[in-house]
Structures are given as C-alpha cells and as structure tokens.
Amino acid sequence: ENESTLAIVKPDGISGNYTSSIRKIILESGFSVQKELTVHLDEDSVRSFYDEHSTKSFFPSLVKYMTSGPVLIMVLQKVNAIADWRALIGPTDALKAKVTHPHSIRAMCGQDLGRNCVHGSDSHDSAEREISFFFTKTYPGIEP
Ligand code: CMP
C-alpha cells in the first residue's frame, strides 16, 4: 500500500554537501518526492517537532544541532515508505551504522549518535504528525 513518510536532511547533511547523493539514493530506491522545503528552523520549531524528547538529557544539544543551519525536509512516497526509508538511513547512531550498516545513508554522512545527518518517521502516527507539522499554512512547501 502506498504511504508517505517524512525525511529530513539535517544541517550536517546539507553542509557536508550530501543532498544530491541522498536525493539520488531516494529516487533510485523507488521513492517519489511529493513535497520539499528548505528552511533554517528556529528553536521553537525544533523543540516542538522533537517534543517527545524534551525531557531527555540530549535535548539541548539536539536543539542546537538542528538550528545550526538549514535543513531539507521532504515527503517521500512509495509502497512501504516508512519502514523502507528507516532501513535505508540505518541505525540512529551513525558511528554504529558505519560498522553494522556500511551502505546506509547515516554511515555515509553521519558523525555520531546525535549528529546522524538524516531523519525518518518511525511509525504511521509519527509520519502523519510530522508531515502535517511542516506542510501547513506556515510552511506550505513546494511541489517539486
Ligand atoms: P532522529 O531519529 O532524527 O530523532 C531524534 C534525534 O535525537 C536523533 O535522530 C538524534 O539526532 C538525536 N539523538 C537521539 N538519541 C540521542 C542520544 N542518546 N544522544 C544524543 N542525541 C541523540
């Protein structure tokens, strides 16, 4: 069944010039890019997007990281998009990914547990929430 998921190329992915490699992997893996938006997020947006992590010890560094530069936010569509995009990006910890999933996107462009260069929704509920979080009247995105 066709589904949509939210992908983010995080500030380190953009500043490390990984955008075109990531886009190539996305298209070659059979996803279509339904919407996309490049934006420099402010602290309030990041805090609210990552609300479920607000009590974690790494939250301040997550907010600092995600506001450190522009991000590319995309809605990806294909059959089984949510699980397939998570598989493609690899484990959260990019250092581990380099060992256990060397062909994953995080192994390619991530640096460590925090700075892992890409995001993917982890469930149907998160995908719905995250897509509507960014693609609203305030951040309408564009049709590619
Ligand atoms: P992501 O899966 O996009 O969403 C939560 C983010 O928080 C995660 O990627 C990492 O960037 C960061 N993160 C998760 N766990 C940790 C951790 N233990 N220490 C530092 N950052 C983390």
Side-chain angles (χ1 to χ4, degrees), residues 46-58:
V46 173
R47 286 200 187 96
S48 150
F49 180 74
Y50 282 123
D51 188 50
E52 63 179 302
H53 297 303
S54 61
T55 59
K56 312 259 175 73
S57 60
F58 62 81

Side-chain angles (χ1 to χ4, degrees), residues 92-106:
T92 302
D93 186 344
L95 280 178
K96 275 191 194 148
K98 287 174 199 293
V99 179
T100 62
H101 297 70
H103 302 291
S104 67
I105 294 176
R106 281 169 170 162

